Amino acid sequence: MVVVFDADKLLINQLVDHHGMMETYAHLYAATFLFIASLISVYILYKILVDESPFTWPGITSGMIAVGLIGLGEAAEHFFPTDPFLHDFFHYMHMIAAPVALYFLYIGAKEFIEECKNDTKIGGKGKIKPLSPDVILAIFCGMIVLVVTLAMLAGSPWDPKVEGAFIYLTFIPTAYLSYMLIQQSRHTVCKESIIMIFIPIIAISVTMLVFDIMFGRLMDIWGWAQFYVITHAAQNALHVATGTILLLFSVFTYRAKKLGILYICGERPKYEPPPQEKIPMRDYF
């Protein structure tokens, strides 16, 4: 395998052959699958929960949309290899959508725990305050503004000066969000709501994808070709795995909704037979 570097010791010819591996198509298909899977999953969740509220589980669904933007940005950037702005617009879209997805999923896990604690869907206290549509829209708009700003600052595709600074500044906050998400998602697992086992699985999968992307970009900036190849191949697998998990989560959520166990958390109350009428003694004779 021959690896070529440019004047800044960055790996070049990535778009064409990815270091001789000829896996560009696999990368495009995997990233596109993640994007489509996230949209389908959000649509399924919306359709089965819309009878309660059009914004039920806003954190989880917004997180799934952000995960889909990772796939969209990862795939679309490869169609603009010579246009620095369009290339880096989609490139930074998937870089920034990653921590945004972690944040939304963290809020989503927290919302579900509050729903279970207050039993809001089955006549409980109803004290939770989920993310409002305005807040969600503001976060996504802020993300797009930041994406456009970074794309305008980039002088070339994968500009190491811009991307390097971005990764160094966001690494610790992203690591903290990942830790908070995994810690929070552990509490969603309960014996009766088996469907919620998917929340920590999604958390782990998205976390692995996010850090694989960040480490892959660092390997590229530092010129460590072999490690870049490994992270890039792993990224393909994580795209497909994450998309599959999102689809399974939405399908199993649909089934749980039909069975009426979606919001049941903790131990199911012991069955108590209905009280029977007392039969007067005279009726026995």
Side-chain angles (χ1 to χ4, degrees):
M1 180 178 67
V2 178
V3 180
V4 182
F5 299 88
D6 65 5
D8 294 325
K9 297 184 178 180
L10 287 178
L11 305 174
I12 60 176
N13 295 328
Q14 298 182 51
L15 297 173
V16 179
D17 56 15
H18 278 281
H19 316 299
M21 293 191 301
M22 300 302 294
E23 54 88 53
T24 305
Y25 290 115
H27 190 63
L28 292 175
Y29 293 150
T32 303
F33 171 77
L34 176 61
F35 174 61
I36 295 175
S38 71
L39 293 183
I40 294 174
S41 301
V42 171
Y43 176 77
I44 293 174
L45 289 180
Y46 177 82
K47 292 297 289 184
I48 65 177
L49 300 173
V50 70
D51 58 330
E52 299 174 19
S53 167
F55 298 105
T56 298
W57 287 4
I60 291 178
T61 52
S62 298
M64 295 168 89
I65 292 174
V67 170
L69 292 179
I70 297 176
L72 174 63
E74 189 70 63
E77 68 174 352
H78 292 79
F79 293 101
F80 305 99
T82 59
D83 189 318
F85 177 78
L86 288 178
H87 175 276
D88 278 12
F89 175 84
F90 289 106
H91 179 68
Y92 286 109
M93 174 184 288
H94 92 272
M95 295 290 290
I96 297 173
V100 171
L102 293 175
Y103 170 75
F104 277 132
L105 291 173
Y106 164 72
I107 296 298
K110 196 171 183 179
E111 286 172 357
F112 178 78
I113 292 171
E114 290 299 317
E115 285 178 348
C116 290
K117 186 185 302 181
N118 295 315
D119 223 7
T120 58
K121 304 303 178 184
I122 49 179
K125 301 176 182 178
K127 291 183 178 179
I128 65 168
K129 294 181 179 179
L131 287 172
S132 69
D134 292 338
V135 172
I136 294 172
L137 182 61
I139 292 174
F140 277 117
C141 288
M143 185 188 82
I144 296 300
V145 170
L146 184 56
V147 167
V148 171
T149 302
L150 291 172
M152 292 177 65
L153 290 174
S156 63
W158 293 297
D159 190 328
K161 297 179 178 65
V162 177
E163 187 174 18
F166 171 79
I167 294 176
Y168 296 143
L169 289 174
T170 59
F171 184 85
I172 293 179
T174 302
Y176 178 73
L177 281 174
S178 300
Y179 170 78
M180 293 297 294
L181 169 59
I182 293 176
Q183 283 292 102
Q184 191 72 37
S185 65
R186 291 189 306 111
H187 302 294
T188 64
V189 181
C190 50
K191 295 182 180 179
E192 293 304 327
S193 189
I194 302 300
I195 183 65
M196 289 302 114
I197 189 65
F198 280 98
I199 298 297
I201 294 176
I202 292 172
I204 293 172
S205 179
V206 174
T207 298
M208 292 177 64
L209 175 60
V210 169
F211 281 98
D212 182 78
I213 291 172
M214 296 188 78
F215 281 122
R217 298 309 309 142
L218 285 175
M219 297 304 102
D220 189 12
I221 293 172
W222 295 343
W224 296 0
Q226 285 72 21
F227 290 105
Y228 173 82
V229 169
I230 293 172
T231 58
H232 209 273
Q235 193 179 135
N236 294 343
L238 288 170
H239 282 319
V240 176
T242 304
T244 302
I245 293 169
L246 293 181
L247 287 173
L248 289 174
F249 171 67
S250 61
V251 170
F252 275 88
T253 302
Y254 172 81
R255 178 176 177 274
K257 179 70 162 51
K258 289 296 184 182
L259 294 176
I261 62 173
L262 185 56
Y263 297 104
I264 298 176
C265 301
E267 295 283 357
R268 185 187 296 274
K270 293 182 179 179
Y271 173 75
E272 296 181 2
Q276 298 181 354
E277 295 183 9
K278 292 184 178 181
I279 302 176
M281 288 297 294
R282 66 174 180 272
D283 292 342
Y284 284 103
F285 301 98

